[in-house]
């Protein structure tokens, strides 16, 4: 899928004076063209990017959700670089919801990529406007003055940004053309971008003043906890007996949630004076259900349906269509085919889903942490609430990983608050949070390669899975390459199949598994489509190398030649050669070519996730040891490298890459919650079995700053770990495992095959 940074043509840039002349607010005006600056308290265009206060503070308005990735810091560094305000003067304010920001979404590793140009220009225009104000106040021409660290100096005089904010002067506006013509700093002159600076969100998290959704308390607030239905989706409540629940001290009532939007089904919430009472009452409720049509569906059924869709090529979507694949396969000397699958993975953030809703004079005051405010407020509107009657207060997120791109917990809280006519905090217990997760789709990918004269002459990919966007946000579906406008696909299910290896004849197809879509509603989980597409592509490429009798590293480097479309363009200039660079780096640092003792090997994988239009070039070398007696895999070391273009905060990128690597490791070896009888089988961490501290390998990460336009860091590291481990296992003991997770039983079985 192709997404674009915020275009300057949408808005003119406005610098306007705030209340009583004590605040300068700066941002893009809500209308196109120039906007009129105002010094009155009632501004026609509120601040969208930052405020400058009389005390000199520069408050950056952060529209992205903060969930541990310090996104506000990176965005603030971008503004501060061009604004020349001094990092010590910067503060953050998280925006709840404002439609003037356009699509408010935190995901896809897009936050910096989508905003870097616009925020840089906002800072530059703000600096220019302040200098012009200083010249008007102090005398002389703007060219006589310069700005640094929040102070404007020139002609033997100086004035601070704060003093200008309090001066009452009217600043200028910038047209779209003027914004586009701004000349930004060359990389060599940057003093903030590219530097490790203090993360501004940390103090509040350390001293407890930061507010997470679960921290919210309101006068007269009740707490609601859902009782999990017997199946993941499709159940209907027939009756509720609250006799035992009513014996719990603090119990108030139960609410059967009949949600017309269908974000969840078969839900009953116990309402009480506090969480403990509500959770105990939820357990005590006796609910009679109609389990619905999915009661007998298993993971095996879902994979069988995916295989049927692939084999029949029924109702496919065309994602890649280069050359003539059919002719190339027919003319190949040999072909190789393999299927790769994934299990069932849940998000499991440490802070379970929760939302607090107070309906006051018809206005819904919503407190929560959410990654997709545009969708969330749209769903509340779909309940019949007018847009002006929705007030959303964004909280810190105790983990998201894509789970909080959904807003089911907000919708459910609205229903309960309506029913009880009191402020309500709805909290998912850990069991509900796990059993009712919007999981990563359980995917099947079939790859076929045509081989001739030592070359890969054809490559065919066909994937089948549920599509998260079809459920959550159909507007993200995009037309396929067939030319039929009715044929749309979910790029988040197939990104990565359009890899950067030069193969003349390629085709990538995608099918929607309706059984999975209904029984196990899919969500966006950290790394989305590239997480399973690269598991398949990078594992299969090692199999192709074995078939050709070629070293896997040598084959990759040969195919990453940057020819044709793989040269990249614009911010992606360098293309496949940039991917080859990070791959060679991890091979060298990870000791790929060094001899190892028996049953120990290093495997490689590389990925240009998350999309071809915004690739973060990432590679991993995984050193593993396999116990041949039982197939148990120990990961000794993960060596990763990434090229995200310009690393706005290199330390933050390293942290993201390290965290992504461990997330990928956990899914590669340990996590699979299972799915039987229409239900997720794990309900807590004891059966989820994520990565434990004693499973930690040595992790070595490097950020190769190429100076190109910045791309994202949150997800790409996930995509390379599983295939690197799978390839290492195959090199160590000759066992090729094609289904995730890579368990000891699967390795042992593959060794016998």
């Amino acid at each position: 899928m192709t997404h674009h940074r915020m275009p300057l043509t949408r808005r003119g840039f406005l610098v306007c004076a705030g209340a009583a002349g004590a605040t300068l607010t700066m941002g893009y005006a809500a209308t196109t063209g120039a906007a009129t600056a105002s010094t009155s308290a009632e501004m026609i265009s509120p601040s969208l990017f930052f405020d400058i206060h009389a005390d000199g503070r520069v408050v950056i308005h952060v529209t992205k959700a903060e969930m541990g990735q310090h996104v506000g810091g990176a965005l603030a560094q971008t503004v501060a670089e061009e604004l020349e305000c001094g990092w010590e003067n910067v503060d953050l304010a998280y925006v709840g919801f404002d439609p003037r920001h356009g699509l408010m979404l935190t995901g896809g590793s897009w936050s910096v990529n989508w905003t870097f140009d616009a925020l840089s220009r906002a800072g530059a225009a703000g600096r220019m406007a302040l200098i012009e104000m200083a010249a008007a106040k102090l005398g002389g021409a703007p060219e006589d003055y310069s700005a640094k660290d929040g102070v404007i100096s020139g002609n033997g005089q100086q004035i601070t940004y704060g003093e200008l904010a309090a001066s009452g002067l009217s600043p200028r506006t910038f047209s779209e053309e003027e914004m586009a013509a701004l000349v930004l700093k060359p990389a060599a002159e940057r003093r903030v971008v590219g530097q490790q600076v203090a993360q501004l969100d940390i103090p509040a998290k350390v001293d407890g003043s930061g507010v997470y959704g679960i921290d919210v308390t309101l006068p007269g607030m009740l707490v609601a906890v859902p009782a999990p239905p017997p199946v993941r989706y499709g159940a209907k409540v027939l009756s509720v007996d609250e006799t035992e629940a009513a014996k719990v001290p603090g119990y108030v009532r139960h609410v059967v949630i009949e949600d017309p939007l269908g974000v969840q089904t078969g839900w009953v919430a116990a309402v009480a004076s506090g969480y403990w009472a509500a959770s105990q009452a939820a357990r005590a409720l006796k609910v009679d259900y109609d389990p619905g049509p999915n009661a007998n569906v298993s993971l095996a059924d879902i994979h069988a349906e995916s295989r049927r869709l692939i084999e029949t090529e029924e109702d496919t979507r065309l994602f890649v269509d280069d050359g003539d694949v059919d002719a190339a396969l027919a003319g190949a000397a040999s072909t190789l085919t393999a299927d790769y699958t994934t299990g069932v993975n849940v998000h499991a953030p440490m802070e379970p889903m929760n939302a607090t809703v107070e309906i006051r004079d018809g206005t819904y005051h919503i407190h929560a942490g959410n990654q997709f405010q545009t969708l969330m407020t749209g769903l509340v509107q779909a309940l019949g609430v007018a847009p002006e009657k929705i007030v959303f207060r964004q909280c810190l997120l105790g983990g998201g990983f894509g789970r909080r791109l959904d807003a089911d917990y907000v919708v459910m809280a609205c229903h309960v608050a309506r029913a009880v006519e009191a402020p309500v905090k709805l909290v998912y217990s850990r069991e509900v949070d796990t059993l009712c997760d919007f999981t990563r789709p359980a995917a099947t990918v079939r790859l076929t390669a045509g081989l001739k004269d030592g070359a890969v002459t054809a490559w065919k990919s066909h994937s089948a899975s549920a599509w998260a966007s079809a459920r959550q946000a159909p507007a993200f579906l995009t037309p396929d390459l067939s030319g039929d406008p009715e044929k749309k696909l979910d790029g988040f299910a197939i990104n990565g199949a359009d890899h950067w290896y030069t193969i003349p004849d390629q085709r990538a197809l995608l099918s929607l598994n309706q059984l999975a879509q209904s029984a196990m509603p899919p969500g966006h989980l950290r790394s989305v489509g590239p997480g399973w597409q690269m598991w398949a592509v990078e594992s299969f490429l090692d199999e192709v190398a074995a078939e050709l009798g070629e070293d896997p590293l040598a084959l990759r480097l040969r195919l990453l030649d940057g020819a044709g479309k793989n040269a990249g363009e614009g911010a992606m200039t360098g293309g496949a050669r940039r991917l080859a660079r990070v791959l060679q780096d991890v091979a060298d640092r990870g000791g790929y070519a060094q001899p190892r003792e028996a049953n120990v090997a290093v495997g490689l994988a590389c990925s240009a996730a998350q999309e071809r239009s915004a690739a973060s070039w990432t590679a991993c070398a995984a050193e593993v040891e396999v116990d041949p007696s039982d197939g148990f895999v120990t990961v000794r070391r993960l060596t990763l490298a990434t090229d995200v273009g310009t690393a706005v905060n290199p330390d933050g990128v390293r942290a993201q890459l390290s965290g992504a690597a461990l997330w990928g490791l956990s899914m590669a070896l340990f996590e699979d919650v299972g799915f039987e009888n229409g239900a997720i089988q794990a309900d807590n961490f004891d059966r989820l079995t994520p990565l434990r501290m004693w499973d930690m390998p040595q992790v070595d990460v490097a950020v190769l700053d190429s100076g190109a336009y910045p791309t994202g860091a949150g997800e790409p590291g996930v995509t390379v770990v599983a295939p690197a481990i799978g390839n290492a296992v195959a090199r160590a003991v000759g066992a090729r495992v094609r289904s995730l997770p890579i368990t000891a039983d699967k390795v042992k079985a593959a060794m016998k095959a």
Side-chain angles (χ1 to χ4, degrees), residues 6-7 10-12 14 16 25 27-32 42-49 61 63 95-104 374 377:
M6 182 183 293
R10 292 182 59 193
R11 301 174 173 95
L14 172 66
C16 49
T25 60
Y28 287 105
T31 56
T32 59
E42 297 178 0
M43 297 178 291
I44 61 171
S45 180
S47 169
L48 294 182
F49 288 137
H61 296 177
T63 63
V95 178
F97 176 70
D98 187 334
R100 285 167 294 201
H101 285 289
L103 188 67
M104 294 188 68
T374 300
T377 54

Side-chain angles (χ1 to χ4, degrees), residues 492-556:
F492 298 114
I494 196 169
N495 283 331
D498 52 345
H499 53 73
W500 290 76
Y501 296 113
T502 296
I503 300 171
D505 298 288
Q506 295 187 59
R507 180 185 300 148
L509 300 172
L510 177 66
S511 295
L512 172 60
N513 186 326
Q514 293 284 6
L515 179 64
Q517 194 80 9
S518 172
M520 192 165 51
H524 296 294
L525 185 145
R526 187 178 188 178
S527 79
V528 292
W532 60 86
Q533 293 293 342
M534 301 318 298
W535 155 242
V537 169
E538 289 298 298
S539 297
F540 188 59
L541 203 59
D542 262 39
E543 294 201 61
V544 169
E547 190 75 9
L548 293 174
E550 187 171 2
D551 177 79
L553 173 61
L555 176 61
R556 283 177 171 82

Side-chain angles (χ1 to χ4, degrees), residues 16 25 44 65 91 112 137 144 153 155 179 181 204 280 300 304 306 344 404 438 448 532 548 641 651 660 696 753:
C16 49
T25 60
I44 61 171
D91 202 354
V112 171
K137 184 172 181 64
D144 299 334
S153 305
N155 288 340
M179 288 297 294
Q280 294 306 299
S306 288
V344 184
R404 285 182 162 92
F438 293 103
T448 299
W532 60 86
L548 293 174
D651 186 62
M696 272 290 297

Side-chain angles (χ1 to χ4, degrees), residues 105-127:
L105 180 155
T106 309
S109 299
W110 291 331
S111 294
V112 171
N113 178 253
W114 278 12
T115 61
F116 185 78
D117 185 72
L119 293 180
S120 295
R121 293 181 186 280
R127 182 187 75 249

Side-chain angles (χ1 to χ4, degrees), residues 322-333 450 452 457-458 505 507:
D322 295 342
D324 189 337
V325 171
D326 294 330
L329 287 173
K452 185 176 182 180
T457 57
D505 298 288
R507 180 185 300 148

Side-chain angles (χ1 to χ4, degrees), residues 284-322:
L285 290 172
K286 292 182 172 56
V287 185
D288 185 24
Y289 297 93
D290 174 355
N294 301 316
N296 296 317
V297 177
S298 68
L299 178 61
D301 296 327
I302 288 171
H303 281 315
E305 173 63 6
S306 288
R307 288 193 300 273
R308 185 192 71 80
L309 290 167
I310 291 170
E311 287 161 3
T312 62
E313 295 199 357
E314 175 184 308
D315 195 25
T316 59
R317 299 295 185 268
L318 184 60
F319 183 62
V320 175
D321 190 24
D322 295 342

Side-chain angles (χ1 to χ4, degrees), residues 9-60:
T9 55
R10 292 182 59 193
R11 301 174 173 95
F13 186 78
L14 172 66
V15 183
C16 49
T23 305
L24 290 176
T25 60
M26 303 183 181
Y28 287 105
T31 56
T32 59
T36 303
S38 171
T39 58
S40 68
E42 297 178 0
M43 297 178 291
I44 61 171
S45 180
S47 169
L48 294 182
F49 288 137
F50 56 90
D51 302 332
I52 299 178
H53 294 258
D55 61 3
R57 287 182 304 121
V58 177
V59 180
I60 310 295

